[in-house]
Amino acid sequence: MTNDFVFSGLKVLDASSFIAAPAAATILSDFGADVIKIEPPGKGDPQRRLSSVPPSPRAQANYSWHLANRNKRGMVIDLKSPAAPRILKRLVEWADVVITNFPHGTREKLHLGYDEVSGWNPKVVYADITGFGDAGPDAGQPGFDLTAAWSRSGLLASTRDAGAPPTVPVWGSGDYMSAVAIYAAIVTALYRRERTGQGASVGTSLLATGIWATGTLVAAALADGTPFELHDRKAPLNPLTNSYRTADGEWFMLVTSAPNWPGLTRVIGHPELLEDPRFADVEGFVEHSAVLTELLDAEFRSQPFAHWKDALNRERITFSLIQTPEEAAQDPQLRANDIVVPLEGVSDLKETISSPINLRGVPKAVAKRAPDLGEHNDEVLAELGFSPAEIAELRTQGAIPTPPRAEM
């Protein structure tokens, strides 16, 4: 690790699974942290298999595994083995940060509870994530992003169209949103430790980040605000914020407001609408929403997207093409801003997605493949001071497995 990275020398123990917590460790690794990920014996972290589970798109490469676990060293430890605490204690003593998402109760049985971990290393920053928080009647309930971040928060109910049942959103999206929250909590605790020398226990929940994402609506509910109606594309609450289709079948999202109405009338070639009393103010737009939407639909269907792109840009009206994930993957804007970056070490996967946090002028680590199952067991154990005889003994005791073949 070069000293040019923000977190060069920072040591992170990633004792977590699936997406949110491991992805927080990945963000730390993007800035040079040395991250050791531990997995259970057998098939390891279930995230290794998510690329092949519907509705994940099918591909030759294990893209989801490398996305959430790149730049890490991997170990397999059977935390249920009586000999496992010998390894875990040294890992915790080595670490600056410990990340876990085992449920409360389970983590204590596996010697990953905060009291035991901080007893081994009082200066450690201990970070965890739960589905529904540490307290309350549902504190012990399992949670995934679709249930806790999306469904319980009100976000999913608010994003469906009028008359339509709730759908299944992009799974993993609540997890990656939560990963940034855990990362922020860790960095806050590290800053505090720099000032005070004290370790800390930090965390968040999928529910908390889901509520934060739905914050405008939940805050309105706290203020006894009148709930808005669900979106109806043909009669939206605001026809100036709506999706429209062009002559070549493209959809785009228009997001503008009354002050930009004169420019929009010029874009669609109907400046006479400025004199139409129905559209004289915001109340008029709302009252006559269906009429204006029908008019805009007809005009936008008359020309291809390229025409409207130029016309809307000339009037500085905000809009965006509605892209599929496949189209977004090829968007040149992503590579121009290092949102999509090269991935080293995977024959059938050349690129991945960088974390969304950047320090201008400060480099990130090159993205390298995620570890094979148990790939770095002997290497890390030797660094922790275990002799070859002790490593062999740990295998005999069942704490670590026999080295597996490297995955292709």
Side-chain angles (χ1 to χ4, degrees):
M1 296 287 181
T2 172
N3 290 328
D4 290 337
F5 298 128
V6 173
F7 291 132
S8 292
L10 187 75
K11 300 170 184 177
V12 180
L13 176 59
D14 176 7
S16 62
S17 60
F18 287 101
I19 300 175
T26 297
I27 301 175
L28 292 167
S29 79
D30 282 345
F31 289 101
D34 183 3
V35 180
I36 294 174
K37 180 181 181 68
I38 60 175
E39 301 177 71
K43 295 183 178 180
D45 182 349
Q47 172 70 357
R48 287 183 176 272
R49 301 180 291 282
L50 287 189
S51 292
S52 61
V53 176
S56 292
R58 287 176 290 185
Q60 291 290 329
N62 195 350
Y63 54 87
S64 65
W65 173 245
H66 293 290
L67 176 59
N69 289 283
R70 63 174 175 266
N71 292 352
K72 299 178 184 179
R73 295 193 285 169
M75 297 185 71
V76 168
I77 304 173
D78 185 354
L79 295 178
K80 297 177 182 178
S81 166
R86 289 178 59 194
I87 305 173
L88 194 58
K89 182 175 184 292
R90 292 200 197 181
L91 282 168
V92 169
E93 290 171 340
W94 166 87
D96 296 292
V97 179
V98 172
I99 303 174
T100 188
N101 63 345
F102 282 108
H104 289 291
T106 301
R107 67 180 69 171
E108 284 74 19
K109 292 177 183 177
L110 297 177
H111 305 281
L112 275 170
Y114 177 66
D115 289 343
E116 189 165 5
V117 166
S118 61
W120 289 337
N121 183 353
K123 295 185 67 175
V124 77
V125 171
Y126 179 95
D128 71 354
I129 183 167
T130 62
F132 298 94
D134 295 333
D138 295 329
Q141 182 176 333
F144 288 97
D145 69 321
L146 296 188
T147 58
W150 275 94
S151 300
R152 188 71 173 268
S153 68
L155 184 59
L156 183 55
S158 304
T159 52
R160 72 181 192 269
D161 281 351
T167 186
V168 177
V170 179
W171 71 329
S173 53
D175 285 315
Y176 283 106
M177 174 174 64
S178 299
V180 176
I182 308 168
Y183 168 81
I186 291 168
V187 172
T188 302
L190 288 172
Y191 178 71
R192 176 178 178 268
R193 191 177 73 176
E194 284 295 308
R195 300 182 69 185
T196 67
Q198 298 175 353
S201 177
V202 302
T204 189
S205 68
L206 294 169
L207 177 60
T209 53
I211 292 290
W212 182 250
T214 323
T216 299
L217 304 183
V218 177
L222 293 173
D224 295 325
T226 302
F228 68 86
E229 300 172 10
L230 290 175
H231 182 74
D232 180 348
R233 206 205 69 78
K234 293 186 176 180
L237 287 173
N238 181 358
L240 304 187
T241 298
N242 199 20
S243 57
Y244 293 96
R245 197 172 194 181
T246 62
D248 51 350
E250 298 284 8
W251 285 91
F252 72 95
M253 182 64 68
L254 179 70
V255 181
T256 189
S257 58
N260 297 111
W261 175 235
L264 186 58
T265 65
R266 292 190 292 271
V267 165
I268 63 175
H270 285 283
E272 75 279 0
L273 290 176
L274 285 177
E275 308 304 321
D276 192 321
R278 294 175 298 176
F279 312 125
D281 50 32
V282 173
E283 289 75 15
F285 288 128
V286 173
E287 182 180 353
H288 303 287
S289 170
V291 173
L292 183 52
T293 299
E294 185 177 4
L295 187 154
L296 291 172
D297 269 338
E299 292 302 327
F300 287 131
R301 281 198 304 266
S302 70
Q303 296 287 346
F305 176 73
H307 169 86
W308 298 116
K309 179 179 178 180
D310 290 341
L312 291 164
N313 278 331
R314 281 197 303 271
E315 294 292 343
R316 300 186 64 81
I317 292 174
T318 305
F319 71 99
S320 178
L321 180 66
I322 298 174
Q323 297 191 132
T324 65
E326 294 73 25
E327 290 168 335
Q330 301 306 317
D331 192 326
Q333 195 70 11
L334 274 60
R335 289 160 186 83
N337 290 278
D338 293 328
I339 298 170
V340 165
V341 295
L343 177 67
E344 293 186 358
V346 186
S347 60
D348 51 3
L349 184 62
K350 300 302 182 185
E351 294 177 305
T352 190
I353 301 168
S354 185
S355 54
I357 295 169
N358 293 287
L359 279 70
R360 293 186 177 91
V362 177
K364 282 183 173 179
V366 173
K368 298 180 180 179
R369 67 173 179 86
D372 292 333
L373 192 60
E375 178 179 351
H376 301 98
N377 264 30
D378 286 9
E379 173 187 306
V380 173
L381 289 170
E383 289 179 13
L384 295 173
F386 289 96
S387 68
E390 288 175 315
I391 294 173
E393 182 184 13
L394 288 168
R395 285 201 172 92
T396 301
Q397 294 171 330
I400 57 174
T402 301
R405 291 182 181 181
E407 296 178 359
M408 301 300 290

